[in-house]
């Protein structure tokens, strides 16, 4: 399955470098955290007041939830950084992954690079309002201090200009607003058999994603990345050692009644709950 990029506004630089810089970089977005005992208590509380435990997961794991049919729905995201505003690409996804929302992202970022007598520094992202500078001075190939040549920002590159560009050695820092896309990826995994109720153990570490675009020579290029499954989602997909994974807890509802609740963290089912007398607390 594949889908293409969208146009996004971009603050162009005064002039473009030649030849065009056509690159796409992929980056995995971080996922949720491992559920805590507090998260589990919140789930028990929902179950105690009549909410289906099958359809809720600890809020600390925003990356995964149980569907009504026992499917575990894992939501991930890949960040795509094309090097130019007019560069188009296509994302290729595994057949079990459904593309979700696509949005423009702008983040304040900085990048350091060592210049060693070259005239061009490639940035990981194209940037707006970038301000490249020599961080600690500039030296020639014999380690003699020289004035830092002018630096010009061009989308995802810093161009070292002037007569001494080929002699310049030093660290260049570019700070600005990185501009790209956030692509949502939705993965549905059948963990609970709808007919028998049997629970399966699913072992999945990551989801492969690739981007394809056309380079300056008219040839296709590809970038690949494995988007890791967050630990909290992997915990949900794993089969519990004893097949039940029972958690017990006491919760108080809005009427101040106390309930003892048994919850199956393996397949999302509320096992049982009962009202507890005050003296039993």
């Amino acid at each position: 399955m594949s889908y293409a990029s969208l146009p996004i506004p971009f603050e162009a630089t005064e002039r473009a470098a030649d030849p065009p810089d056509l690159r796409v970089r992929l980056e995995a977005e971080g996922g949720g955290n491992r559920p805590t005992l507090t998260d589990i208590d919140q789930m028990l509380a929902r179950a105690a007041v009549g909410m289906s435990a099958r359809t809720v997961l600890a809020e600390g794991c925003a990356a995964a939830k149980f569907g009504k049919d026992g499917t575990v729905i894992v939501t991930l995201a890949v960040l795509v950084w094309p090097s130019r505003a007019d560069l188009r690409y296509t994302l290729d996804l595994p057949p079990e992954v459904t593309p979700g929302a696509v949005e423009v992202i702008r983040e304040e970022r900085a990048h350091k690079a060592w210049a060693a007598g070259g005239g061009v520094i490639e940035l990981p992202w194209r940037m707006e309002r970038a301000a490249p500078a020599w961080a600690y001075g500039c030296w020639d190939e014999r380690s003699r201090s020289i004035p830092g040549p002018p630096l010009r920002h061009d989308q995802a590159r810093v161009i070292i200009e002037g007569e001494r560009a080929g002699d310049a050695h030093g660290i260049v820092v570019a700070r600005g607003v990185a501009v790209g896309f956030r692509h949502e990826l939705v993965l549905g995994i059948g963990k609970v058999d709808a007919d028998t109720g049997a629970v399966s153990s699913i072992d999945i570490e990551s989801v492969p994603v690739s981007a394809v675009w056309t380079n300056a020579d008219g040839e296709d290029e590809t970038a690949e990345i494995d988007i890791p499954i967050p630990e909290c989602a992997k915990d949900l997909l794993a089969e519990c050692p004893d097949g039940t994974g029972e958690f017990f807890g006491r919760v108080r509802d809005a009427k101040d009644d106390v309930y003892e609740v048994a919850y199956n963290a393996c397949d999302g089912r509320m096992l049982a709950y009962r009202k507890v007398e005050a003296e039993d607390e």
Side-chain angles (χ1 to χ4, degrees):
M1 182 178 296
S2 64
Y3 57 116
S5 62
L6 302 175
I8 61 177
F10 182 77
E11 297 180 4
T13 51
E14 294 182 0
R15 51 178 176 166
D18 188 31
D21 174 32
L22 304 179
R23 293 176 285 120
V24 173
R25 179 175 176 269
L26 303 179
E27 179 182 340
E29 183 181 67
N33 299 316
R34 184 182 297 272
T36 65
L37 291 177
T38 300
D39 295 326
I40 294 171
D41 286 342
Q42 292 176 355
M43 298 167 74
L44 296 175
R46 294 182 186 184
V49 296
M51 295 182 66
S52 172
R54 177 175 286 251
T55 61
V56 295
L57 183 65
E59 293 179 354
C61 187
K65 64 180 180 180
F66 268 106
K68 293 181 180 179
D69 59 354
T71 300
V72 177
I73 302 171
V74 181
T75 302
L76 308 171
V78 59
L79 307 183
V80 183
W81 306 101
S83 62
R84 295 183 63 86
D86 56 354
L87 178 56
R88 296 294 179 262
Y89 61 87
T90 298
L91 278 189
D92 287 332
L93 308 174
E96 63 271 17
V97 175
T98 302
V102 184
E103 61 180 336
V104 178
I105 54 172
R106 285 182 165 86
E107 296 183 357
E108 292 280 350
R109 293 198 177 190
H111 179 69
K112 292 183 179 180
W114 174 254
V120 177
I121 296 174
E122 293 184 345
L123 303 176
W125 338 274
R126 57 191 173 91
M127 305 178 79
E128 293 177 347
R129 301 186 295 277
W134 295 98
Y136 306 107
C138 186
W139 297 265
D140 64 15
E141 60 183 6
R142 296 184 179 181
S143 298
R144 295 176 299 192
S145 178
I146 61 173
L151 301 174
R152 175 170 59 89
H153 169 236
D154 174 53
Q155 302 209 51
R157 297 195 291 190
V158 172
I159 314 298
I160 305 174
E161 300 186 315
E163 296 180 356
R164 303 299 300 273
D167 299 330
H169 293 69
I171 295 177
V172 173
V173 180
R175 291 184 173 87
V177 179
V179 186
F181 296 100
R182 179 186 184 274
H183 291 261
E184 188 175 85
L185 314 175
V186 182
L187 175 64
I189 304 173
K191 179 176 175 62
V192 182
D193 188 285
D195 297 325
T196 66
V199 180
S200 301
S201 177
I202 310 296
D203 184 13
I204 180 171
E205 294 292 330
S206 60
V207 173
V209 177
S210 62
V212 181
W213 69 98
T214 303
N215 63 23
D217 296 325
E219 300 174 345
D220 286 347
E221 287 199 38
T222 303
E224 299 177 345
I225 191 173
D226 290 330
I227 307 299
I229 302 295
E231 288 298 323
C232 61
K234 288 195 290 187
D235 288 346
L236 191 64
L237 292 169
E239 185 176 11
C240 300
D242 60 359
T244 57
E246 295 180 0
F247 286 92
F248 294 91
R250 291 189 177 186
V251 296
R252 191 181 300 271
D253 67 8
K255 296 181 180 179
D256 212 32
D257 292 327
V258 179
Y259 290 84
E260 185 177 72
V261 183
Y263 175 79
N264 188 319
C266 186
D267 61 13
R269 291 180 296 110
M270 181 176 66
L271 302 174
Y273 71 93
R274 67 183 180 91
K275 189 173 180 180
V276 178
E277 299 296 332
E279 59 268 20
D280 292 340
E281 293 190 59

